[in-house]
Amino acid sequence: MSLKLIGVFGGTFNPIHYGHIKLAQAWKSFASLSKVLFIPSGLAPHKNIVLENKHRLEMLNLALKPYAGFLTDDREIKKYENDLQASYTIETLKRLTQEKEEDQALCFLMGSDAFLKLESWHLWNELFNYCHILIVERRESPIHSDQLTPDLKKEWNKRLTQKIEDIETSAYGLIMVKQFEYTDVSSSQIRNAIHSHKNLSQLVPEVIADYININQLYR
């Protein structure tokens, strides 16, 4: 049976930019994802979030509005506002698994840089019990097995597939890597551009640049 694939895209989105959008678009098209959930972190264990949640959420909503099937999911922000605890991907995936239908499978989207740091994530090796991991790889720096730690290499060798049919017929547990036209943008690059009074048109949608200017964000 072919499963309906749901993209799950987590991050601080501080702010959302073309790199995020292009990555999600590429996987949505290639894997025929039924939808992509953009889940902003409430409190990210690895990053300091300096922007109010309401601004990150509003920018996500504005940026995703033109894209069918791209949805904001604010569960991690609501969790943090309720208990002030850090957000962990494994917990979010467990909740999404409980909510999804039997004919659906979760696909966690990430870049290759994030994957190489996967072992620093909370209960990282349990992620495969709840989702597939779909990785966008930079053409100039593909993932080589000698970059992986022994434990990560073990999972890589066991789970890697080059067939989308494998993803479509498995509920969880596989890794797939693709090279797409990659828009190499970082949120820190955008914040630096704002501080230097540079044009943001190549980095974020116009509606986001306008929102940042109107609200005097990252100043």
Side-chain angles (χ1 to χ4, degrees):
M1 178 181 70
S2 184
L3 299 171
K4 298 175 183 176
L5 304 180
I6 299 173
V8 180
F9 195 3
T12 56
F13 301 113
N14 186 29
I16 186 170
H17 52 66
Y18 278 132
H20 298 131
I21 293 170
K22 297 297 184 184
L23 183 154
Q25 278 186 305
W27 273 117
K28 186 174 187 296
S29 176
F30 179 81
S32 300
L33 302 179
S34 60
K35 59 184 174 182
V36 179
L37 304 177
F38 287 69
I39 306 181
S41 306
L43 176 64
H46 297 93
K47 296 186 179 182
N48 294 319
I49 299 174
V50 297
L51 198 63
E52 290 180 78
N53 290 334
K54 67 177 184 180
H55 289 308
R56 291 190 296 130
L57 277 174
E58 183 60 23
M59 285 192 287
L60 260 178
N61 290 331
L62 289 169
L64 301 183
K65 191 173 182 179
Y67 302 96
F70 282 9
L71 306 172
T72 302
D73 185 319
D74 64 354
R75 70 181 64 223
E76 291 194 2
I77 283 178
K78 286 181 176 177
K79 176 185 180 300
Y80 177 65
E81 290 174 344
N82 288 333
D83 61 20
L84 300 182
Q85 298 298 309
S87 302
Y88 293 112
T89 297
I90 186 67
E91 296 171 357
T92 298
L93 288 171
K94 286 180 180 179
R95 291 195 295 272
L96 287 171
T97 297
Q98 292 170 352
E99 296 168 12
K100 72 177 183 64
E101 304 295 332
E102 287 188 8
D103 64 345
Q104 296 175 325
L106 302 175
C107 297
F108 194 83
L109 312 182
M110 64 168 57
S112 53
D113 292 351
F115 180 76
L116 292 174
K117 300 174 184 175
L118 192 65
E119 280 183 288
S120 67
W121 293 29
H122 181 59
L123 299 177
W124 71 273
N125 53 345
E126 293 186 20
L127 297 175
F128 299 107
N129 296 329
Y130 301 97
C131 68
H132 302 300
I133 292 183
L134 307 186
I135 305 166
V136 171
E137 185 180 61
R138 286 188 172 90
R139 294 182 187 277
E140 67 275 13
S141 56
I143 297 174
H144 297 291
S145 61
D146 58 6
Q147 296 175 277
L148 307 177
T149 63
D151 286 343
L152 194 54
K153 184 185 290 187
K154 179 181 177 181
E155 301 296 342
W156 174 269
N157 290 336
K158 179 169 63 174
R159 302 179 184 281
L160 187 65
T161 181
Q162 296 179 337
K163 298 178 180 179
I164 192 61
E165 294 81 9
D166 292 341
I167 302 290
E168 292 172 335
T169 55
S170 302
Y172 52 82
L174 299 178
I175 298 171
M176 191 171 195
V177 185
K178 291 290 291 182
Q179 291 183 349
F180 300 111
E181 290 301 322
Y182 194 87
T183 303
D184 195 6
V185 181
S186 70
S187 295
S188 59
Q189 179 185 352
I190 294 166
R191 296 193 293 269
N192 291 336
I194 293 167
H195 292 152
S196 304
H197 305 287
K198 293 181 179 178
N199 190 297
L200 301 180
S201 62
Q202 300 301 309
L203 304 175
V204 299
E206 183 180 357
V207 67
I208 301 305
D210 289 344
Y211 185 92
I212 289 171
N213 290 329
I214 291 169
N215 292 277
Q216 292 292 292
L217 304 180
Y218 306 110
R219 299 297 195 271

